[in-house]
Amino acid sequence: AQSVTQLGSHVSVSEGALVLLRCNYSSSVPPYLFWYVQYPNQGLQLLLKYTTGATLVKGINGFEAEFKKSETSFHLTKPSAHMSDAAEYFCAVSTGGGADGLTFGKGTHLIIQP
Amino acid sequence: SAVISQKPSRDICQRGTSLTIQCQVDSQVTMMFWYRQQPGQSLTLIATANQGSEATYESGFVIDKFPISRPNLTFSTLTVSNMSPEDSSIYLCSVRGTADQPQHFGDGTRLSIL
């Protein structure tokens, strides 16, 4: 079975500052990893994914994440925060099996200070 | 990515009644899933909707409470039966192609039970 831990239920950064949202996973097989964003009263939007290949993956809206197998981590970063980045961010893992659903972390609420 | 439509978008229901939620996709997809997001919480997988056969339920979810249908590759329904206030949640449909592709989510159905 797999699991996801997101450190920090709330993260606050100033506009223009670096955004770092932490995600650690546990999986008995090589994982597929995802970051999703949820804006208020909306569904989930995919930010980026890692399946195989390059460990640094780039996503939408300037976000990127790096898969580090030795640290079992998949932290999300963005060099410069915008007010529009304020939202709930979820890290998720699957084992890549044919019928696999996603296991989600508890989410991190990102607050952008003006 | 596929366009996913969920109906209804929200509803307020009486205790003891049942509600059927529809998920329609604009193209054929291999996998369809149903998730629950309780207030202020993360997403939990309810079941995988299998085309032409019984759904595969996760631990803690049973068919009598959450019957699911998937008559074809573009449509699925989730019924929340004999509702109680504890069933007040957002219910989300997601779809996916092959195992290395990400899941895409509908906007969800916001359900409140009085």
Side-chain angles (χ1 to χ4, degrees), chain B residues 94-112:
Chain B
S94 76
V95 304
R96 195 199 73 199
T98 56
D100 62 341
Q101 294 176 324
Q103 291 184 28
H104 295 281
F105 288 80
D107 283 342
T109 295
R110 285 153 182 79
L111 183 57
S112 297

Side-chain angles (χ1 to χ4, degrees), chain A residues 36 38 41-42 98 100 102 105, chain B residues 35 37 42 96 99 103 110:
Chain A
Y36 287 87
Q38 186 177 37
N41 298 315
Q42 294 187 25
D100 232 20
L102 292 171
Chain B
Y35 291 82
Q37 186 177 24
S42 185
R96 195 199 73 199
Q103 291 184 28
R110 285 153 182 79

Side-chain angles (χ1 to χ4, degrees), chain B residues 5 12 20 28 48-49 53 56 73 76 79 91 94-95 107:
Chain B
S5 301
I12 300 173
T20 296
Q28 293 185 347
T48 302
S53 64
T56 304
L73 293 176
S76 179
T79 298
Y91 293 86
S94 76
V95 304
D107 283 342

Side-chain angles (χ1 to χ4, degrees), chain A residues 65-113:
Chain A
E66 186 171 11
F67 170 61
K68 293 187 176 181
K69 183 178 179 180
S70 61
E71 299 177 8
T72 61
S73 69
F74 191 58
H75 302 330
L76 182 71
T77 61
K78 181 174 181 177
S80 176
H82 295 166
M83 296 299 292
S84 60
D85 294 327
E88 192 80 18
Y89 290 79
F90 293 96
C91 182
V93 64
S94 77
T95 58
D100 232 20
L102 292 171
T103 299
F104 283 85
K106 292 188 175 183
T108 297
H109 185 65
L110 178 62
I111 301 163
I112 311 297
Q113 304 281 2

Side-chain angles (χ1 to χ4, degrees), chain B residues 18-31:
Chain B
S18 299
L19 178 74
T20 296
I21 302 167
Q22 299 180 357
C23 179
Q24 178 74 56
V25 193
D26 68 343
S27 59
Q28 293 185 347
V29 291
T30 305
M31 305 298 298

